[in-house]
Amino acid sequence: MPQSVKFPGLTVHHLRAVGVEVPITYALGTSRGRITKAPLLLIDVETAEGVTGRAYLWCYFRQAMPAIASILQAVEERARGEAMVPDDLSAKLTERFALIGVQGIVRMAMAGFDVACWDALAVAAGVPLARYLGAELRRIPAYNSCGLGLMPVDALADEASRLLDGGFRAIKLRLGYPTLAEDLAAVHAVKKRIPGNVALMVDYNQALGVEEALVRGRALDREDIAWLEEPIRHDDYAGAARLARELLMPLQIGENFSLVGGMRAALDAGACDLVMPDLERIGGVTGWRRAAALAAERKIKMSSHLYPETSVHLLAATQTAHFLEYVDWADKIVQEPLRIVDGEAVIPERPGHGIVWNAAAVERYRV
């Protein structure tokens, strides 16, 4: 079980949610669509003691933000006046939403609230979140996931070179072109442009069926790929287990694990070689800690999915920590973006996870 922590005496008082839509530096073409803006819901949890915790949610669609904000109002109604003890709050909110279920936008709202609570607790203690969780501040290996979407191969090669700025020694390429030949052309174009010591991950965003994934996976096995991510439907654990058995490169899944129970089911099925829970879908910091304990028990390497500003703290406290997925989507609306030095994420010394909103930028991008 996760290491216990001491909770300063904080009381939930008020929740505030603000939606922004931020242009992203590198348009991201995936097999599921092209992304040019990041719809983020910014969450502030104020305590009766005057401490504020912050979090944001990547909402995928602008239209989802009002719905999640409305669920956060229900979270506030249930949590107001309660002691800020995340496990207890999670249990009470799970009971509150039992009839609709802790999935979808309910889970998103609860996770955002949970992250903001942990931030407030670490701020009240006057220490970085990683240290509050019992970890030492250390640099975490990161891979650049900002670009390399589906695009012509010449543009891919140019973008791959730019993504190495900051000393990155690992980058991720999206695949899922209409043909295997196009996938391989993309891989070859990128590999020709990057040094041989740079790790290349590939992500299909669930684009393939099992048989096609085997065909393409066997071809990619000859390309020195660091991992193959979500080639098939995320909940087809039987199919994923077959891929994990028959392919040589490590199979990476996890961004769609719903709470720790989803991760446990995947591991029980032998559905992957590596895991990368998403901070929102796994249940915030509380859910991440449970997932990290499970990864340690199963001796499986664990990376993060999105939310690098908070995930870097959590990986420092994760026994089997592997890679931080780096995206710069929140950089434009925070006062001090996460720093990458020589390909590693630097945990800030600031209290909490270190996020403070840039008020002027929030107003500029406000929805």
Side-chain angles (χ1 to χ4, degrees):
M1 291 300 293
Q3 179 181 342
S4 61
V5 294
K6 295 181 179 179
F7 298 108
L10 297 182
T11 309
V12 179
H13 177 62
H14 177 62
L15 275 70
R16 181 172 58 255
V18 173
V20 298
E21 199 167 41
V22 182
I24 62 177
T25 308
Y26 298 95
L28 193 59
T30 76
S31 59
R32 300 298 177 180
R34 183 175 174 83
I35 301 169
T36 59
K37 294 182 179 180
L40 307 176
L41 188 66
L42 315 184
I43 301 168
D44 288 0
V45 175
E46 299 173 358
T47 67
E49 295 74 23
V51 177
T52 297
R54 299 175 179 87
Y56 70 85
L57 292 171
W58 155 249
C59 295
Y60 294 85
F61 300 100
R62 174 175 178 167
Q63 294 85 347
M65 290 192 283
I68 300 167
S70 70
I71 298 296
L72 280 166
Q73 292 177 357
V75 169
E76 179 187 38
E77 291 171 6
R78 178 60 186 89
R80 187 187 297 118
E82 296 283 356
M84 193 173 274
V85 180
D87 279 306
D88 293 350
L89 289 169
S90 177
K92 290 171 181 176
L93 290 169
T94 297
E95 181 181 0
R96 169 67 180 85
F97 295 118
L99 294 182
I100 190 173
V102 182
Q103 298 294 334
I105 61 173
V106 172
R107 184 191 56 213
M108 293 178 79
M110 285 179 56
F113 172 66
D114 181 87
V115 172
C117 285
W118 280 100
D119 181 45
L121 291 166
V123 168
V127 297
L129 178 60
R131 190 164 287 147
Y132 185 70
L133 296 173
E136 294 301 318
L137 302 192
R138 59 188 177 94
R139 294 185 178 184
I140 303 296
Y143 69 89
N144 199 335
S145 192
C146 286
L148 294 188
L150 304 185
M151 66 176 79
V153 293
D154 290 343
L156 269 180
D158 291 341
E159 192 163 281
S161 295
R162 294 196 299 273
L163 292 182
L164 298 179
D165 292 345
F168 282 99
R169 295 187 291 273
I171 57 177
K172 186 159 77 178
L173 170 67
R174 276 76 182 177
L175 295 180
Y177 291 90
T179 66
L180 169 59
E182 291 170 283
D183 277 350
L184 291 175
V187 170
H188 295 158
V190 170
K191 288 181 67 176
K192 286 178 181 177
R193 191 64 66 90
I194 62 177
N197 64 344
V198 172
L200 179 64
M201 296 85 166
V202 299
D203 185 358
Y204 273 94
N205 297 108
Q206 309 178 62
L208 308 175
V210 174
E211 297 303 326
E212 183 65 14
L214 283 169
V215 171
R216 298 197 189 197
R218 286 173 181 136
L220 290 170
D221 269 339
R222 299 189 289 270
E223 301 296 336
D224 191 25
I225 300 299
W227 73 50
L228 172 65
E229 185 176 331
E230 278 204 335
I232 64 173
R233 202 183 71 219
H234 72 87
D235 56 352
D236 182 1
Y237 293 158
R242 182 180 173 194
L243 298 177
R245 288 193 306 269
E246 297 191 25
L247 297 178
L248 300 177
M249 65 191 142
L251 182 64
Q252 172 76 279
I253 67 172
E255 68 184 73
N256 284 293
F257 289 156
S258 183
L259 308 177
V260 73
M263 177 170 159
R264 187 181 300 277
L267 295 182
D268 286 347
C272 55
D273 302 296
L274 306 166
V275 293
M276 54 181 308
D278 177 275
L279 187 59
E280 173 266 302
R281 292 188 174 107
I282 205 66
V285 176
T286 299
W288 178 283
R289 297 179 77 222
R290 295 168 181 166
L294 178 60
E297 173 190 317
R298 302 296 181 90
K299 297 180 174 58
I300 188 165
K301 291 181 179 179
M302 182 160 147
S303 297
S304 63
H305 180 254
L306 304 183
Y307 306 105
E309 299 84 2
T310 303
S311 296
V312 68
H313 291 265
L314 302 181
L315 283 167
T318 298
Q319 184 176 325
T320 61
H322 193 198
F323 272 101
L324 176 87
E325 181 176 35
Y326 173 77
V327 292
D328 61 1
W329 300 344
D331 283 10
K332 291 184 175 68
I333 47 91
V334 299
Q335 291 185 13
E336 297 184 60
L338 181 67
R339 292 174 56 233
I340 303 294
V341 177
D342 295 330
E344 297 178 320
V346 180
I347 299 175
E349 291 276 359
R350 302 184 296 277
H353 50 42
I355 290 177
V356 178
W357 310 128
N358 178 330
V362 170
E363 286 305 310
R364 183 180 313 127
Y365 298 116
R366 187 166 182 159
V367 175

